Amino acid sequence: MNPTEIEARLLDAFRASLDVPELAPEDDVFARGTNSIAIARAIVAAAEAGVAVSIAGVYEHRNVRGIAAASAGLEAPPDGTVEPFPLTPTGRFLMAEGRFAERYNICDLWDFDPGELRLPLLSAAIRTVMSTLPTLGVRLDRTRDGILQVHRPAMPEEPLEHVDLSRLPADAFSEAVERAAARLQRSLVFEASSPLIRFVVFEPAAGPWKLFILAHHLFLDGVGFRHFLHDLGRAYAALRDGRAHVSIGSMAAPDFWVRRLVRYANEECPAELPYWRSFPWDAYAAFRLPPQFDAAPDDPKPTFSDATARALHHDAGETRQDRDALCRDQCTVRRRLDAARSAAFFALDTGAQFDTVLFATTDVLHRLTGSRDLWIDTFDSLRGPVFPDCDTSRVVGYVNEIVPLPLRVPEGLGTADAIRDIGRQRRQVPKRGLGFRALRYMNATPELAAEAARWPEPKIAVNYIASMQRDYPRRFLDLPTAPEWPGPPMDEQHTPYLLAFSVSCVDGLLTVDTRHAPAVSFRAADMANEQVLGALAALCDGPARLGSAA
């Protein structure tokens, strides 16, 4: 392939993936607020077009012309191996004490017409993708060295499960699908004998059929699941169109990432010890929410039942009191910004969005607790250039890590400067905070691992997923999302946090969900949610101030 063709293919890939049809070869791809997840999409599209691109090269050269010149002769990252490999630090953390061995899933449910989506071709497409990405066949082994992921590529002859609900009356079909999907979610166990991904079709008496794809979340993270759906759609389209070959741009090499983390934990991370030892661990360990956050002895005990979760999802509460009762039973609260404020927020670049969310959350927590020094867990996709020799942009697997941020709430600064200061603190953390749990779970020196194990876990979490939802929607072909709800994807009663704030994009609106531990008062969690959303609304009401934070 000559340089001109490489540049042309790469330009097409970046234009389509970034949704910038006018992008020129010399344009800075980051000038329009592009983030690592959008870049990962472009790298997958480039690989499908036969051009190997590294994410480090994208960040170094920044425009298609430079990236294309650097890509000539670039070797693709190694494919997955079949040697056993350990769980990631986050996997170890979430599996601790059996927390999320079951019902910690990622899934989607779609409508389809069986005359348009042909099931034999879909089965063949599943087999094609699973065989092309062989490490998707991992299972677990419990050994003296802990849980290991082992390659066992056994694939049933018919990977597509068929649930016949055609004898049910039409008005009972949707509820039956929801109940069956919820049971399937509970059946997906992170154990050796259990498949970690399932494909299910629900057949009605009439009307659209349903396709349900679910995977254990420690098997596929959010970006990995999107990559997989994209690859499955391409494989199906190739079979449908009679093409003998389909180019898969992703790679199934989760062990590639895990083995790099092991090397980091043992060879590089010990150099970070002065940084980690500098923190006020005693103060972090002593962190408590104020007494008004304690649940009263006579408060209704949450059951986390599928029934109340389903009713809450469908907004079944007729009154505020009814809805509060459902929220109490699920230990969750949700509020949304209006369209104008959401648009003002999403006009920021991705980094400024995250820093703004962190500023609003930490400012509220400071006012509620009086503490300026906060220790907060965040969820990072890690598809960017964390290690120059480890490109995870195309990996179908679990690369996401939960990483802590030590943040001091700024004082004496204007809003824009305070948000910038939060960003500065975030960027100062070495390797995005990977060392905290890598030392604990992967370092082979007993004394160092024991020291890291004494460092307290954060009790507050912030998960910002709105930019991923907007930049990389979960899609399979052009199938519409089904109106039915497939059940809660995780068992929230096992949360390790007192308060967890998830900031997402729902129907185009910035949405703040606050989940709380059963020991925390629902009213206090509701107040915290209201105040965080209010802080974000106030920031969005001052577009000049908010915009200057970028």
Side-chain angles (χ1 to χ4, degrees):
M1 194 183 307
N2 63 53
T4 302
E5 187 175 0
I6 289 175
E7 182 178 300
R9 293 190 183 191
L10 199 55
L11 187 60
D12 287 343
F14 272 79
R15 282 174 171 172
S17 300
L18 306 183
D19 194 23
V20 184
E22 70 277 13
L23 185 73
E26 64 277 6
D27 287 348
D28 185 340
V29 298
F30 293 93
R32 301 168 187 263
T34 302
N35 57 55
S36 61
I37 293 172
I39 294 297
R41 289 185 70 188
I43 290 174
V44 169
E48 291 166 354
V51 180
V53 176
S54 75
I55 198 162
V58 176
Y59 276 79
E60 178 182 357
H61 299 285
R62 302 184 69 90
N63 65 58
V64 167
R65 182 151 292 157
I67 298 164
S71 72
L74 184 69
E75 294 184 3
D79 201 359
T81 68
V82 296
E83 295 298 319
F85 59 100
L87 295 177
T88 66
T90 291
R92 293 279 298 276
F93 167 61
L94 292 178
M95 289 284 285
E97 302 173 5
R99 261 194 210 115
F100 288 109
E102 58 186 67
R103 206 158 63 112
Y104 182 60
N105 305 327
I106 186 167
C107 63
D108 259 319
L109 184 69
W110 296 273
D111 284 340
F112 73 95
D113 181 337
E116 297 177 0
L117 183 68
R118 289 175 276 173
L119 298 184
L121 291 185
L122 179 56
S123 290
I126 293 170
R127 289 193 294 271
T128 296
V129 174
M130 297 293 280
S131 62
T132 304
L133 305 174
T135 48
L136 288 178
V138 296
R139 296 290 189 272
L140 302 185
D141 271 356
R142 293 183 180 273
T143 71
R144 286 180 298 179
D145 298 324
I147 299 174
L148 295 179
Q149 301 184 70
V150 180
H151 182 244
R152 290 203 185 99
M155 186 67 168
E157 184 175 343
E158 177 45 74
L160 197 58
E161 303 171 50
H162 181 206
V163 178
D164 188 352
L165 301 176
S166 61
R167 296 187 178 184
L168 291 178
D171 59 359
F173 176 67
S174 287
E175 183 175 348
V177 167
E178 292 186 340
R179 293 185 185 281
R183 286 195 298 271
L184 286 165
Q185 295 239 44
R186 290 186 178 278
S187 74
L188 206 64
V189 180
F190 208 52
E191 291 289 352
S193 60
S194 175
L196 299 180
I197 187 167
R198 296 179 72 173
F199 310 88
V200 186
V201 165
F202 297 102
E203 178 184 353
W209 292 38
K210 311 291 176 180
L211 172 63
F212 185 41
I213 300 179
L214 73 158
H216 198 285
H217 210 351
L218 291 178
F219 174 66
L220 288 177
D221 62 18
V223 175
F225 189 58
R226 286 162 168 81
H227 282 349
F228 178 81
L229 295 176
H230 174 77
D231 292 337
L232 185 60
R234 283 177 57 83
Y236 177 85
L239 292 168
R240 179 196 60 203
D241 299 341
R243 286 181 274 129
H245 174 73
V246 58
S247 173
I248 300 294
S250 303
M251 64 174 187
D255 59 321
F256 174 53
W257 168 246
V258 175
R259 295 181 201 285
R260 186 61 182 86
L261 285 180
V262 171
R263 182 152 61 91
Y264 161 71
N266 289 278
E267 298 176 13
E268 301 162 37
C269 197
E272 297 176 10
L273 280 169
Y275 172 84
W276 292 108
R277 286 170 173 163
S278 70
F279 291 118
W281 294 119
D282 290 343
Y284 290 163
F287 176 83
R288 299 289 185 275
L289 292 172
Q292 65 263 32
F293 276 79
D294 294 340
D298 57 348
D299 280 351
K301 302 301 180 187
T303 70
F304 298 96
S305 75
D306 286 354
T308 57
R310 179 176 181 269
L312 187 59
H313 173 80
H314 288 299
D315 201 14
E318 295 183 2
T319 66
R320 173 62 188 268
Q321 187 174 7
D322 292 337
R323 187 168 178 80
D324 280 359
L326 296 174
C327 290
R328 285 177 185 274
D329 194 64
Q330 292 295 314
C331 288
T332 189
V333 190
R334 167 174 286 191
R335 286 183 173 85
R336 299 177 183 176
L337 284 184
D338 58 38
R341 287 167 170 154
S342 295
F345 179 86
F346 290 128
L348 296 171
D349 68 52
T350 302
Q353 291 174 24
F354 186 33
D355 293 337
T356 300
V357 167
L358 288 174
F359 170 74
T361 307
T362 54
D363 187 58
V364 167
L365 289 170
H366 162 60
R367 286 188 274 109
L368 291 175
T369 66
S371 176
R372 284 197 177 274
D373 291 305
L374 296 170
W375 182 229
I376 294 175
D377 257 346
T378 62
F379 296 68
D380 197 324
S381 75
L382 294 172
R383 301 284 169 159
V386 181
F387 301 109
D389 59 348
C390 182
D391 189 335
T392 60
S393 58
R394 293 165 45 212
V395 169
V396 176
Y398 190 85
V399 179
N400 186 78
E401 289 292 319
I402 300 176
V403 290
L405 284 179
L407 294 176
R408 179 164 182 79
V409 179
E411 52 184 325
L413 297 178
T415 301
D417 287 338
I419 294 174
R420 277 193 288 266
D421 187 71
I422 290 289
R424 177 191 59 79
Q425 294 182 58
R426 176 171 62 84
R427 289 185 291 275
Q428 282 182 339
V429 180
K431 295 300 183 190
R432 315 258 274 267
L434 279 171
F436 176 72
R437 291 189 176 94
L439 282 168
R440 173 177 300 193
Y441 293 117
M442 288 184 157
N443 188 277
T445 304
E447 295 79 10
L448 289 185
E451 178 185 353
R454 290 192 293 271
W455 299 338
E457 296 281 1
K459 294 299 181 185
I460 306 294
V462 176
N463 187 13
Y464 182 65
I465 59 175
S467 63
M468 178 174 64
Q469 291 170 322
R470 286 166 54 83
D471 293 332
Y472 200 175
R474 288 204 314 230
R475 294 193 184 110
F476 177 58
L477 299 171
D478 293 321
L479 300 186
T481 301
E484 289 82 9
W485 182 59
M490 67 178 66
D491 196 345
E492 295 291 353
Q493 64 184 307
H494 295 310
T495 178
Y497 304 109
L498 296 174
L499 292 172
F501 299 89
S502 178
V503 183
S504 60
C505 178
V506 179
D507 298 328
L509 303 179
L510 188 72
T511 303
V512 179
D513 288 278
T514 302
R515 294 194 177 276
H516 62 93
V520 172
S521 158
F522 167 76
R523 290 194 180 280
D526 184 48
M527 174 184 65
N529 177 275
E530 184 177 31
Q531 291 192 18
V532 168
L533 194 86
L536 288 168
L539 291 168
C540 293
D541 283 339
R545 289 182 302 157
L546 188 57
S548 66

